[in-house]
Structures are given as C-alpha cells and as structure tokens.
Amino acid sequence: MHTIYLHIDENLDASGLASLGEDMRQVGHITNVEVNAGEPHDMLVEFEEQHISPMAILKELGRRGVHADIMSG
C-alpha cells in the first residue's frame, strides 16, 4: 500500500472537501482518503500501487472538476 499527499488547487469548503473525499473512497483500489477542513488544500490518499497509479488518481480528481499536484509519495 502506498500513500500520496496531494495539494488541491481549488478552494473547497468543508462540505465540498468531505464530499470529494467520499467520492474518491469509492474509486477502485483507493483504500483510504483523509481530508481535514483545517487544511482545505490537502488530501492524503492510500492506494494499492499494483492496481492504480498516482497519475490515475489525479485523473479521477480531474473528472470531479478538481486539479491537484502530488506533493510526496
């Protein structure tokens, strides 16, 4: 299992951030998503690296209208 730290470009309120986190938890091979309303641009995503790549995770965010950068992996 791998974890990536993402910086979300958009300004999301607590509700939008929570909704985005819940949406991403539904993506296959993403095992956990952590968001914090106190850090509205940050998201931690745990994933099964043999099944999904960090770039695929960024594409999933893009499908939801969100742009992000990988800060660390």
Side-chain angles (χ1 to χ4, degrees):
M1 192 119 21
H2 273 43
T3 302
I4 55 173
Y5 170 55
L6 302 172
H7 176 84
I8 298 169
D9 294 339
E10 285 76 17
N11 289 323
L12 300 175
D13 61 14
S15 174
L17 191 61
S19 178
L20 179 61
E22 187 59 37
D23 282 353
M24 293 302 290
R25 285 182 195 94
Q26 304 306 312
V27 174
H29 306 292
I30 290 180
T31 57
N32 192 27
V33 176
E34 293 184 25
V35 295
N36 178 347
E39 298 290 336
H41 294 279
D42 295 350
M43 176 180 282
L44 287 172
V45 180
E46 290 182 5
F47 62 101
E48 298 172 348
E49 69 274 8
Q50 62 271 44
H51 298 289
I52 190 169
S53 69
M55 291 307 296
I57 293 169
L58 290 179
K59 285 182 183 179
E60 288 292 337
L61 286 166
R63 288 185 185 118
R64 289 157 177 81
V66 175
H67 303 89
D69 294 308
I70 298 171
M71 301 305 289
S72 67

